[in-house]
Amino acid sequence: MQILLSEIRNTPLLWMLAFVPIVLVAEKAAPQSHTLLFVLAVLAIVPLAALLSHATEAVAAKTGDAVGGLLNATLGNLTELIIAITALHAGQYMLVKASIAGAIVTNAVFMLGACLLLGGLRYHVQEFNRAGARLSSGLLLMATVALLAPSAVANLDHLPQDGGILTKLSLGISILLILAYGLGLWFSLVTHKELFASADHGDDKEAHWPIGVAVGTLLVVTVLVALVSEIFVESVQKAAETFGMSPAFVGFIVVSLVGAAAEFAVAFAAARKDRLDMAVSIALGSASQIALFVAPALVLLSYVVGPKPMDLQFWPGAVTMVMIATVTSAYITASGRSAWFVGALMIFIYAVFALTLYVVPPTGQG
């Protein structure tokens, strides 16, 4: 506790942690003040992301960048999972599917591109372990093909229109995806872990927290981020009606960006310290984890918490953007080297996606 208090006193950004209890109290006292809750939630998420960044770096210093990146991706995606479960319970399946597709694209294109840009502005050329990038890209490509299947067969004339076939297909695909994710973890952390070792950063002189403090902070802050993000989503959905944003845009862009705020902080800091192994591991690892674990887990959970089972049929635009994001990230990381302009191009691709979705929202429910 003394270490945490010292860190908060010495870091002005962490003084904004005062907004965390404020937004939790405001949500109970004035649940209809959506604009106020939106602003308070954003102000609360920023310092929580910074605190999570410190703790994750401390864990990565003890476990290595690959495990540290996996841990951060897991804890960061827990936020999206909790948000999606809330939307599942309310039957807002368009928002859930948009947040799934948006999280994949945001992590694989925007987060990765921003890491390459920020790191490249400080270092002329950066290198990273291609094995880890290839594994995450391969898993993401396999998951994208699996997610394409229900959308590809949805409009076949000979299929019943009650959706029962798509539900069964989505259930089977979900089980296969979770199995593939487990095998991927076994491959990277057990049988071939030597392929994913990160470069030794001997110039990193920063003193890190003890592992016990870091892990405890990770767990507590992740829960707080999930709670505050939940308030944010509830408030931003109401604000979206005022600003003319569709549920697809809210889920694909807004929820994905805010839900991944903690991962952004860690990945960006790693890229600026020339630890691109960790940055790439977080970006692609989080994207593949969303596709291989979070999406199928939500399908399974819909049988328990949702008004009806959810399938994996996405609207055509979402499928296209996910496929483009997957191919782009695989192509960009194939060489194991990067410069700032590559990151800038990826951010422009994400901006095109966001603009298209805002101007031309999908008409169906996905």
Side-chain angles (χ1 to χ4, degrees):
M1 183 62 68
Q2 197 68 31
I3 296 174
L4 288 177
L5 292 177
S6 176
E7 186 75 31
I8 292 173
R9 283 196 301 267
N10 297 327
T11 309
L13 181 62
L14 296 182
W15 297 350
M16 294 173 62
L17 287 171
F19 286 106
V20 176
I22 291 176
V23 69
L24 295 176
V25 172
E27 195 272 336
K28 297 295 183 182
Q32 301 303 317
S33 302
H34 300 296
T35 303
L36 175 63
L37 290 176
F38 170 78
V39 174
L40 291 176
V42 171
L43 293 175
I45 287 175
V46 171
L48 286 173
L51 194 59
L52 191 60
S53 171
H54 288 295
T56 305
E57 286 183 358
V59 174
K62 301 291 185 181
T63 62
D65 285 352
V67 177
L70 172 64
L71 178 61
N72 182 75
T74 302
L75 293 176
N77 286 337
L78 182 61
T79 301
E80 279 97 338
L81 183 59
I82 293 176
I83 293 172
I85 290 174
T86 303
L88 270 181
H89 184 67
Q92 299 185 29
Y93 288 167
M94 169 60 89
L95 182 61
V96 176
K97 294 178 181 180
S99 66
I100 292 172
I104 295 172
V105 174
T106 297
N107 291 323
V109 176
F110 177 78
M111 188 194 301
L112 179 60
C115 288
L116 300 182
L117 175 61
L118 292 174
L121 291 175
R122 194 167 188 177
Y123 301 93
H124 186 66
V125 175
Q126 290 182 293
E127 298 185 357
F128 53 90
N129 189 337
R130 288 181 293 176
R134 280 198 298 264
L135 174 64
S136 295
S137 298
L139 288 172
L140 186 57
L141 181 60
M142 188 278 297
T144 302
V145 172
L147 295 177
L148 281 171
S151 301
V153 304
N155 295 321
L156 294 180
D157 294 334
H158 66 277
L159 290 183
Q161 297 302 310
D162 58 1
I165 297 297
L166 288 180
T167 301
K168 293 179 181 178
L169 177 61
S170 298
L171 179 61
I173 289 175
S174 298
I175 296 174
L176 291 175
L177 288 176
I178 292 177
L179 178 60
Y181 179 66
L183 291 176
L185 291 180
W186 181 259
F187 176 77
S188 61
L189 298 179
V190 180
T191 64
H192 289 71
K193 61 181 180 180
E194 73 280 357
L195 298 177
F196 306 96
S198 302
D200 182 24
H201 298 273
D203 57 339
D204 190 3
K205 305 295 185 182
E206 182 181 352
H208 295 291
W209 298 348
I211 189 67
V213 175
V215 172
T217 302
L218 280 172
L219 297 176
V220 173
V221 173
T222 299
V223 173
L224 291 176
V225 169
L227 292 175
V228 176
S229 297
E230 206 169 343
I231 297 174
F232 173 86
V233 171
E234 292 176 356
S235 63
V236 80
Q237 288 184 63
K238 298 296 183 180
E241 299 175 1
T242 304
F243 293 110
M245 293 187 294
S246 66
F249 182 86
V250 172
F252 198 99
I253 302 298
V254 181
V255 174
S256 299
L257 290 174
V258 174
E263 297 166 275
F264 287 164
V266 181
F268 294 169
R272 292 286 291 171
K273 294 178 181 178
D274 201 24
R275 301 176 67 177
L276 210 55
D277 284 338
M278 184 175 184
V280 173
S281 175
I282 292 172
L284 294 184
S286 183
S288 61
Q289 193 175 69
I290 288 286
L292 288 162
F293 178 73
V294 174
L298 289 172
V299 171
L300 299 179
L301 286 172
S302 68
Y303 285 82
V304 180
V305 302
K308 63 178 182 179
M310 185 182 79
D311 57 47
L312 290 174
Q313 180 193 356
F314 295 83
W315 72 94
V319 171
T320 302
M321 287 185 282
V322 170
M323 178 57 76
I324 292 175
T326 301
V327 174
T328 300
S329 62
Y331 175 76
I332 291 299
T333 57
S335 65
R337 292 164 59 89
S338 176
W340 68 267
F341 187 63
V342 177
L345 290 178
M346 296 190 74
I347 293 177
F348 278 116
I349 292 174
Y350 185 78
V352 170
F353 289 164
L355 180 62
T356 302
L357 192 57
Y358 183 80
V359 176
V360 190
T363 56
Q365 291 304 305

